[in-house]
Amino acid sequence: METDVITLDTKVIALGNQKGGVGKTTNCVQLATALGERGRKCLIWDLDTNFGATRHFGIAAGAYWGTFELLTGQDEMDNVIVTENDEDVELPPNVHLITADRNLEGLDKALGAEHKFFPAGILIDPLKQLRGRYDYIFLDTAPSAATPTLAAYMAADFVILSTTPQTFAIKGLEDAIADIKAAIRQGNKKLLVLGVILSDVDKRLRLARLHMDLVEELFRQQPGQPSAKFETIISRSTVVGEAQKLGKTIFQAYPDHKVTDQYRALAREVEARLEAFARANSVTLTQEPQSAPREEHIKLEERTDG
Ligand SMILES: Nc1ncnc2c1ncn2[C@@H]1O[C@H](COP(=O)(O)OP(=O)(O)OP(=O)(O)O)[C@@H](O)[C@H]1O
Ligand SMILES: [Mg+2]
């Protein structure tokens, strides 16, 4: 890959929610692929010790050096980026990947002296190397407040939150929001919540519909204003798991499926929202993410411990 061409206005987007199994990785992979289909250059950076994004592309553990080797200085950026030119992997058009592996669990121990005092800053410099080379860099985080997750919040421009229509998943947003607030307080002043993806939804279920309304309201700043929840809802479908088993995105395995089209619509919505942000050049959703929602909804406590 060329390293000397710096032209693109890169948006770094972290996928968040500390609860596991709420669709972060699926959304990350399918949204990047949808944007790739629109001709945007995308990089997915897997920051999870469970390497869900890496597995999603059918890549076996340890097949490539990736996040751990890069962040511990054992390898360089251009060597760890997996591209369409790599053999044994079939990435979708315009999508590149930095893989993860279990060894990421040992990251804190292995970090060099320069990161001992501020491990959460570990992605800031590597991302500087990447800015200009992609339209979008998606940071897929782990369901924990591990160093790479916090580092993603410290380095990103935007967060996209993911949730499913279940109480545990919606409650998990609370921890993610506390982390976002902490990241803003601790120096990442530019960080904005771009939106909330509600996925794995079976609209036939009454409870799912109630949860959809709850998320819609929870992320509405003022009555009458649009909610930060994306309008596009991603349906529950077996094609998601089936494609994963094949090590493919749904764009590769089921290009004409309804859910694939929903991710296409989501990609358009994401870009429209980014354009609106750029036009307004100011915060329309939230610089201080979601303050107190109504009492009968899930309470997002202000934390003082960061
Ligand atoms: N729209 C959908 N329809 C059906 N299944 C889905 C859908 N979206 C996600 N899933 C399934 O839900 C499970 C969890 O999704 P995913 O791995 O994306 O969540 P996650 O938040 O990244 O989890 P973790 O935090 O553990 O990494 C996966 O098995 C995935 O296949
Ligand atoms: Mg995941």
Side-chain angles (χ1 to χ4, degrees), residues 35-256:
L35 288 160
E37 192 181 67
R38 286 167 70 77
R40 315 297 187 237
K41 285 176 74 67
C42 298
L43 173 71
I44 295 173
W45 191 339
D46 193 344
L47 295 167
D48 186 355
T49 52
N50 280 322
F51 53 101
T54 304
R55 278 186 286 129
H56 211 117
F57 291 107
I59 298 175
Y64 294 91
W65 276 18
T67 302
F68 180 84
E69 290 78 12
L70 178 71
L71 297 182
T72 54
Q74 295 175 58
D75 208 346
E76 291 179 9
M77 185 62 83
D78 282 318
N79 293 336
V80 299
I81 297 177
V82 181
T83 74
E84 64 275 14
N85 298 326
D86 284 281
E87 288 167 15
D88 303 331
V89 56
E90 213 183 307
L91 292 177
N94 295 318
V95 177
H96 292 177
L97 173 73
I98 300 178
T99 64
D101 189 354
R102 270 280 168 242
N103 59 8
L104 205 49
E105 280 169 8
L107 181 68
D108 286 308
K109 238 187 199 165
L111 284 182
E114 62 183 307
H115 293 293
K116 282 276 187 287
F117 294 104
F118 186 43
I122 195 159
L123 294 179
I124 294 170
D125 282 343
L127 281 167
K128 276 186 196 151
Q129 284 183 56
L130 294 169
R131 283 187 190 270
R133 293 161 57 173
Y134 291 95
D135 292 294
Y136 300 102
I137 299 174
F138 289 99
L139 308 176
D140 188 29
T141 66
S144 69
T147 295
T149 306
L150 301 179
Y153 289 162
M154 285 309 289
D157 306 316
F158 298 95
V159 179
I160 290 181
L161 293 168
S162 295
T163 189
T164 56
Q166 289 153 324
T167 308
F168 85 97
I170 298 170
K171 270 190 163 288
L173 296 171
E174 184 181 348
D175 289 333
I177 286 165
D179 285 344
I180 294 165
K181 286 182 176 176
I184 292 169
R185 275 201 304 275
Q186 290 180 26
N188 190 5
K189 300 273 183 268
K190 66 182 181 308
L191 188 63
L192 293 169
V193 176
L194 186 62
V196 184
I197 302 174
L198 187 56
S199 67
D200 199 8
V201 175
D202 185 344
K203 284 188 188 167
R204 293 168 306 178
L205 302 178
R206 190 178 152 269
L207 199 58
R209 285 212 301 274
L210 286 176
H211 278 116
M212 279 165 60
D213 293 345
L214 175 62
V215 176
E216 177 96 24
E217 270 309 304
L218 197 56
F219 284 90
R220 194 186 303 285
Q221 283 292 291
Q222 304 289 339
Q225 274 193 3
S227 171
K229 180 177 90 39
F230 289 109
E231 274 178 36
T232 309
I233 303 281
I234 308 295
S235 303
R236 171 175 295 175
S237 168
T238 53
V239 298
V240 173
E242 292 300 324
Q244 258 167 309
K245 273 188 227 150
L246 298 170
K248 292 181 188 297
T249 65
I250 52 173
F251 289 77
Q252 294 163 304
Y254 303 96
D256 300 322

Side-chain angles (χ1 to χ4, degrees), residues 1-6 78 129 133:
M1 126 167 258
E2 294 185 9
T3 54
D4 51 349
V5 182
I6 298 188
D78 282 318
Q129 284 183 56
R133 293 161 57 173

